[in-house]
Amino acid sequence: MPNIIEELKQSLKLLKLEWSEDLAQYKRKFLNTSLAEKKKEGITWHPIHLKKTKIGMGERLIVEVERLDASSPSAFSSGKSVTFFSTHEGYQGAENRVNGVVNQVFRNSMVVTLQADEVPDWMQDSRLGVDLLFDEASYREMEFALKKVIAGETPRLAELRDIALGEKNPRFNQEYPIELPNLNFSQNLACQKIAAAQDFAVVHGPPGTGKTTTLIAAIRQAVEKGLSILVTAPSNAAVDLLVEKLVDADVSTLRLGHPARVEEKILSQTLDAKIANHESYRDLKKLRKETEEYLKLAKQYRRNFGHEERMQRKLMYQEVSRIREAAGHLEDYIRSDIFQKTQVFASTLVGASNYNLKGMLFDVVFIDEAAQGLEAATWIPILKAKKVVFAGDHCQLPPTIKSYEAAKAGLSVTLFEKIIERQPMTAEMLQVQYRMPTDIMGFSNAWFYEGKLQAAENTQTHAFSADEPVLEWIDTAGSGYTDQQEAESLSTFNPEEARFACTYLNETIKRIGIARFKQENWSIGLIAPYGAQVRMLRNLIFETFDYPNLKAFSDLITIDTVDGFQGQERDLMLISLTRSNEKGEIGFLSDTRRMNVALTRAKRKLILIGDSGTLAQNPFFDALLRYFEEKGAYRSVYEFL
């Protein structure tokens, strides 16, 4: 067992390495780079025009902008910080920039919450642009948290640190087991483990096993006991999903974080919205209006005025101070009232450092998707915990890391993985999955989950028909389909395989029945491991429309990378494996955790299209191919050419 303080110091060192690599990549793309090059990198949109403005929740200013050149790539996504600028002469200084946070991004438009009270005149101009900003604040919070953990700032934090990293044993109470009728046996065992744990409990939730259902049940049990609760996850989307489910379960939940980073359907659970809907908000608004009026009056006085006018202005400023103080007290009261009525607080891992939570300590901190959070980020909510519950699956996607060196040296190993390995008695694995039939589940079950997963009864009906196989691998070996590298992004694509994938998907829909797809509202997913192949598939399906059946289903089709499908499912899933070359190079397809996500999204049918000659040189794909052959699901592309 390594010295845990040295281990944490090494984690801090690796975090700084990742920080500097992330910043270096940003600078390479951004500094001393022409506008044309920044557009090519996808970190700048220019020119854009201001489409509309509105006042959103909490009286925040929201703008929608549209870009004129939609062919350029885009690195913008919801929750990212951005800055607007103008290339118009006289407006190019830093003082003429306005920052904001992205709410939503579409192909050629973006919705942003501005950090300003009004839209400056230059934003109406035709020479408007928007840049992506580097997020340094998150790294600072992670560094700050790790230093506190190393120092063992409080006795409880030091104790949780020692237990999590294997130096002390976790403790459990003798709890009377409560069986919840809406949960299966393994979900009930997980809830019992959570209730009994004094320090840590871990819910290991493989795909389709109802991890979220189990977590909501455990949170409700804790609420009923009157415990204070913080719920967190690495991404805004994961937090929003939990908040939505908690609200559906009648749990009073407060979603902390910038409203721009929150999905629209749960905006009503944010602090801004709850303040705006509070019974005393009208009085607060009235006080703010009075402040503005007095300030306007005070500013009307010119420089050359006499003693009486000076005294008058002084009185006005005193009145402004008095009203502001009253408004501050009223705001504190409203916030305090909202907090008292809140049963569950919710934020991202980094968002747990929110100033509204300052000084608060929670009886239980729940961390969902814990296998996707960097260790340093995971410690942020633990600083506020008496007890911690992890939920996730370390056999699915790991955290995204920019520095290859830091990842290789151990930054990619999460706290979730460490505790499962060092304190196995804290973990309970959910064993019944409700998504896919046994044949779709079978390979992942054997390779990743020691054969412990069971397919629930409902999955026996998860086939399109008795004649339609649930599994197919169409082997492109010898077809001449060859992978290529996109010059700009260096991402891999395979044009012939993409065209065949679209053709075969088109024919599959026709065979199953177009009317049935429409009637049942069955969803379709296309996964490609590489961004360039995703772009090619989108272009073929949504823009060229050589595939009449696919055209009718464009609203039901999602095309994305593996990461884009994490936590989702589709009735029909096709994976274009893309790699096909004489050297047998498969790049990051060898990341088996990523492939596990891809293989476990399908509910009724899974189709793989790939070159066995290239892929089967890797032991994972060799075993996967053999599995498909055993199931009679292997076919050659020559049957279709």
Side-chain angles (χ1 to χ4, degrees):
M1 177 70 63
N3 177 305
I4 62 168
I5 300 300
E6 288 309 310
E7 182 183 345
L8 286 162
K9 283 179 178 172
Q10 172 68 0
S11 295
L12 185 59
K13 198 170 147 190
L14 296 178
L15 178 73
K16 287 178 177 174
L17 191 62
E18 169 71 359
W19 187 347
S20 62
E21 176 57 29
D22 198 0
L23 184 58
Q25 284 186 24
Y26 174 80
K27 283 179 175 175
R28 274 199 297 275
K29 288 177 182 175
F30 206 88
L31 298 178
N32 308 316
T33 307
S34 70
L35 195 57
E37 284 172 315
K38 286 191 282 188
K39 280 174 67 177
K40 206 182 275 186
E41 289 286 354
I43 55 172
T44 294
W45 281 14
H46 182 277
I48 57 174
H49 78 267
L50 193 60
K51 204 173 168 187
K52 57 172 89 155
T53 64
K54 67 171 185 177
I55 301 296
M57 207 63 89
E59 295 185 34
R60 292 178 188 255
L61 187 58
I62 294 172
V63 297
E64 185 178 351
V65 295
E66 195 169 45
R67 62 173 171 165
L68 308 178
D69 178 13
S71 62
S72 303
S74 173
F76 293 83
S77 60
S78 83
K80 295 273 178 112
S81 296
V82 296
T83 179
F84 287 94
F85 64 90
S86 174
T87 52
H88 201 287
E89 206 174 319
Y91 290 102
Q92 291 171 16
E95 70 280 1
N96 288 315
R97 279 185 173 253
V98 173
N99 291 356
V101 176
V102 178
N103 294 44
Q104 288 171 293
V105 180
F106 307 99
R107 192 154 182 268
N108 62 346
S109 65
M110 192 185 328
V111 180
V112 178
T113 299
L114 289 189
Q115 289 162 5
D117 296 326
E118 56 186 38
V119 177
D121 293 340
W122 54 263
M123 276 189 74
Q124 312 283 351
D125 190 76
S126 60
R127 299 185 194 178
L128 185 64
V130 61
D131 285 334
L132 201 57
L133 286 175
F134 182 71
D135 178 20
E136 202 131 32
S138 295
Y139 283 109
R140 281 202 199 95
E141 291 298 344
M142 287 191 273
E143 180 187 35
F144 190 55
L146 266 182
K147 285 179 175 175
K148 283 188 165 190
V149 175
I150 290 165
E153 197 179 56
T154 65
R156 183 56 177 154
L157 178 61
E159 195 172 27
L160 287 172
R161 174 197 69 197
D162 295 349
I163 295 166
L165 297 175
E167 281 214 341
K168 282 185 180 173
N169 292 328
R171 298 157 303 165
F172 297 89
N173 295 320
Q174 283 300 108
E175 286 270 332
Y176 181 74
I178 300 167
E179 295 281 332
L180 295 173
N182 60 324
L183 299 184
N184 66 45
F185 78 96
S186 65
Q187 290 172 332
N188 266 307
L189 285 173
C191 283
Q192 287 159 21
K193 177 83 75 176
I194 289 167
Q198 290 184 32
D199 313 293
F200 286 99
V202 177
V203 179
H204 178 195
T209 51
K211 173 175 63 68
T212 305
T213 304
T214 309
L215 269 191
I216 299 300
I219 293 166
R220 284 190 69 176
Q221 284 183 318
V223 165
E224 283 162 18
K225 288 180 182 174
L227 302 176
S228 57
I229 296 158
L230 173 65
V231 168
T232 65
S235 70
N236 285 291
V239 178
D240 288 347
L241 176 66
L242 283 170
V243 172
E244 195 184 333
K245 301 283 185 191
L246 285 165
V247 171
D248 289 346
D250 289 325
V251 176
S252 168
T253 308
L254 178 64
R255 170 66 160 100
L256 293 163
H258 196 295
R261 297 189 170 99
V262 176
E263 283 197 24
E264 208 161 320
K265 55 190 167 189
I266 62 147
L267 271 174
S268 57
Q269 308 309 316
T270 61
L271 187 57
D272 277 18
K274 292 198 177 196
I275 288 173
N277 293 325
H278 194 274
E279 57 197 14
S280 299
Y281 183 65
R282 193 178 288 176
D283 297 333
L284 181 63
K285 215 170 172 184
K286 197 176 162 188
L287 288 171
R288 284 175 178 167
K289 199 174 178 187
E290 279 181 43
T291 306
E292 281 174 29
E293 283 167 0
Y294 274 110
L295 279 171
K296 266 185 196 170
L297 282 170
K299 283 173 183 173
Q300 278 175 6
Y301 290 103
R302 304 282 173 219
R303 283 188 177 184
N304 303 317
F305 56 87
H307 175 73
E308 202 173 310
E309 288 85 356
R310 193 175 285 112
M311 291 307 292
Q312 197 69 31
R313 191 178 72 164
K314 190 180 176 184
L315 284 170
M316 282 178 187
Y317 278 127
Q318 281 173 352
E319 191 60 16
V320 166
S321 298
R322 187 193 66 75
I323 297 168
R324 274 185 175 157
E325 192 179 343
H329 289 314
L330 185 55
E331 208 167 331
D332 288 345
Y333 159 72
I334 293 171
R335 191 178 281 111
S336 168
D337 191 42
I338 291 165
F339 276 35
Q340 279 179 353
K341 290 171 183 169
T342 297
Q343 293 171 306
V344 173
F345 292 81
S347 74
T348 58
L349 299 177
V350 174
S353 61
N354 189 297
Y355 67 92
N356 285 300
L357 296 178
K358 198 174 179 185
M360 290 178 76
L361 197 61
F362 293 90
D363 294 318
V364 194
V365 167
F366 287 83
I367 302 175
D368 194 15
E369 303 294 2
Q372 282 184 56
L374 285 174
E375 180 181 348
T378 308
W379 282 113
I380 297 171
I382 298 175
L383 298 176
K384 299 183 175 300
K386 293 179 187 175
K387 164 176 158 178
V388 183
V389 177
F390 288 119
D393 182 9
H394 54 300
C395 302
Q396 291 187 65
L397 288 178
T400 302
I401 294 172
K402 302 275 175 76
S403 165
Y404 173 75
E405 194 184 331
K408 203 177 165 189
L411 190 68
S412 58
V413 181
T414 62
L415 192 57
F416 181 87
E417 287 173 86
K418 288 180 180 180
I419 198 164
I420 271 195
E421 187 193 327
R422 300 178 194 184
Q423 304 286 19
M425 71 289 286
T426 62
E428 199 66 53
M429 182 173 124
L430 304 179
Q431 292 174 42
V432 184
Q433 70 80 21
Y434 296 87
R435 179 179 297 158
M436 54 209 135
T438 305
D439 281 358
I440 295 179
M441 172 192 83
F443 180 77
S444 282
N445 188 24
W447 189 275
F448 295 100
Y449 303 110
E450 300 171 10
K452 289 178 182 174
L453 280 184
Q454 304 167 23
E457 260 184 65
N458 69 304
T459 63
Q460 290 172 18
T461 59
H462 283 192
F464 286 116
S465 69
D467 306 327
E468 187 65 34
V470 297
L471 284 178
E472 284 185 273
W473 179 315
I474 299 169
D475 188 4
T476 63
S479 63
Y481 297 176
T482 309
D483 63 42
Q484 303 171 32
Q485 213 173 45
E486 203 174 58
E488 284 181 9
S489 68
L490 302 180
S491 180
T492 304
F493 69 107
N494 188 326
E496 291 92 348
E497 183 175 296
R499 282 188 196 94
F500 176 76
C502 292
T503 305
Y504 190 67
L505 181 60
N506 198 51
E507 287 167 5
T508 303
I509 289 171
K510 189 178 172 184
R511 187 174 66 246
I512 293 167
I514 295 166
R516 287 185 71 207
F517 262 91
K518 282 284 184 190
Q519 194 181 332
E520 302 287 347
N521 214 32
W522 282 330
S523 56
I524 302 157
L526 256 80
I527 286 180
Y530 296 91
Q533 186 76 342
V534 166
R535 286 191 285 279
M536 174 145 275
L537 288 165
R538 282 178 181 160
N539 179 54
L540 286 167
I541 286 181
F542 297 135
E543 287 171 23
T544 60
F545 281 119
D546 291 334
Y547 313 95
N549 302 319
L550 296 184
K551 186 174 183 177
F553 293 104
S554 56
D555 56 329
L556 296 176
I557 298 174
T558 311
I559 305 172
D560 213 333
T561 58
V562 182
D563 302 51
F565 276 102
Q566 170 87 351
Q568 298 186 42
E569 64 182 29
R570 294 292 183 273
D571 292 290
L572 171 59
M573 185 60 82
L574 186 148
I575 306 170
S576 167
L577 292 163
T578 311
R579 298 312 296 255
S580 180
N581 54 73
E582 288 176 5
K583 293 177 183 173
E585 287 177 355
I586 65 166
F588 76 99
L589 249 68
S590 58
D591 180 350
T592 56
R593 283 164 64 164
R594 186 168 260 101
M595 280 312 303
N596 183 35
V597 173
L599 295 170
T600 53
R601 302 303 99 197
K603 196 174 173 183
R604 301 177 191 277
K605 184 177 179 72
L606 173 66
I607 304 167
L608 265 64
I609 297 174
D611 179 349
S612 65
T614 300
L615 295 161
Q617 294 181 46
N618 175 281
F620 175 85
F621 283 100
D622 183 47
L624 182 61
L625 187 64
R626 274 190 278 112
Y627 178 78
F628 272 73
E629 286 171 338
E630 284 162 19
K631 296 291 174 188
Y634 172 86
R635 301 175 77 178
S636 168
V637 75
Y638 284 104
E639 293 177 41
F640 308 96
L641 295 179

